[in-house]
Amino acid sequence: MNEAFHVTDPRALKAVAHPLRVRLLGTLRLDGPATATELAAKFGESSGSTSYHLRQLAKYGFVEEDAEQRDRRERRWRAVHAYTSWSNTELSGTPEGREAVAFMRRRQLEVLRATVEAFDRDPESWGAAWVEAAGMSDDVVRLTPASAEALYGRVSALLREFEERDKDAPDAERVSVFVSAHPVRGYVG
């Protein structure tokens, strides 16, 4: 799987900024290749619906047929990239692009909320070390836009470094990491 897909076409971001498509893509990224039928069962959809949405994702380069098919009679799909990125400025030049960018931001918040709630439902099943390690923090600092962008780059590089370091560790788990940097004027909350 390639590392990143940098979207420059607002139509491509709008294509993935569909409630079912973004969930299909996320599942293929996290759980690996699947058929439209398997994904339909997971999300309570018809296989016709998931098949249609997978073809739309393929049209814009987000997914492709899995080259390592287990059975020629089934069509397995896989994510092409580990994550999607875009330039807010570049894509916000049209109403369609602004709408897609706003949807994707809201979707990221929904995933964050769902991730925290899933952990909070049963933290003991993870063990004491994960209960201690899991969490969130917030801070407010004065940064320039250039420093905020540099922060993202350094955090991303640090994540790849830690991932490589822990790749064979027996206690390693998938960890959702969210980084958010938005300017604020006064208290927001």
Side-chain angles (χ1 to χ4, degrees), residues 15-62:
V16 76
H18 177 281
L20 180 57
R21 290 180 200 157
V22 76
R23 292 168 62 208
L24 293 171
L25 179 59
T27 297
L28 291 173
R29 285 177 173 165
L30 194 59
D31 297 334
T35 66
T37 302
E38 291 167 340
L39 293 166
K42 181 172 186 136
F43 293 115
E45 298 283 335
S46 72
S47 60
S49 174
T50 54
S51 182
Y52 168 78
H53 289 295
L54 287 164
R55 288 191 310 274
Q56 290 301 304
L57 288 169
K59 176 180 174 182
Y60 290 97
F62 292 98

Side-chain angles (χ1 to χ4, degrees), residues 34-181:
T35 66
T37 302
E38 291 167 340
L39 293 166
K42 181 172 186 136
F43 293 115
E45 298 283 335
S46 72
S47 60
S49 174
T50 54
S51 182
Y52 168 78
H53 289 295
L54 287 164
R55 288 191 310 274
Q56 290 301 304
L57 288 169
K59 176 180 174 182
Y60 290 97
F62 292 98
V63 303
E64 65 186 8
E65 283 192 53
D66 185 15
E68 299 176 19
Q69 300 283 337
R70 291 186 293 196
D71 180 341
R72 287 287 173 208
R73 293 173 295 172
E74 65 181 15
R75 187 177 193 184
R76 297 185 71 71
W77 296 90
R78 71 176 196 92
V80 177
H81 308 91
Y83 66 92
T84 305
S85 67
W86 60 86
S87 163
N88 290 327
T89 303
E90 187 176 348
L91 291 181
S92 293
T94 66
E96 177 180 57
R98 283 189 295 278
E99 179 184 335
V101 166
F103 173 86
M104 294 302 283
R105 280 193 193 123
R106 288 189 306 275
R107 179 64 186 147
Q108 289 171 316
L109 290 172
E110 290 168 7
V111 171
L112 171 59
R113 188 196 80 246
T115 301
V116 170
E117 288 174 354
F119 181 83
D120 286 346
R121 279 192 296 276
D122 190 20
E124 293 80 20
S125 70
W126 291 98
W130 278 112
V131 168
E132 184 62 29
M136 295 172 34
S137 67
D138 64 298
D139 204 340
V140 178
V141 296
R142 288 184 55 81
L143 299 175
T144 63
S147 291
E149 284 190 50
L151 175 65
Y152 278 120
R154 288 185 59 188
V155 167
S156 182
L158 189 59
L159 287 172
R160 300 291 85 77
E161 176 188 325
F162 281 24
E163 182 177 44
E164 180 62 27
R165 181 185 77 185
D166 293 350
K167 71 179 179 184
D168 297 323
D171 61 340
E173 297 282 353
R174 291 185 217 168
V175 176
S176 289
V177 177
F178 292 85
V179 177
S180 172

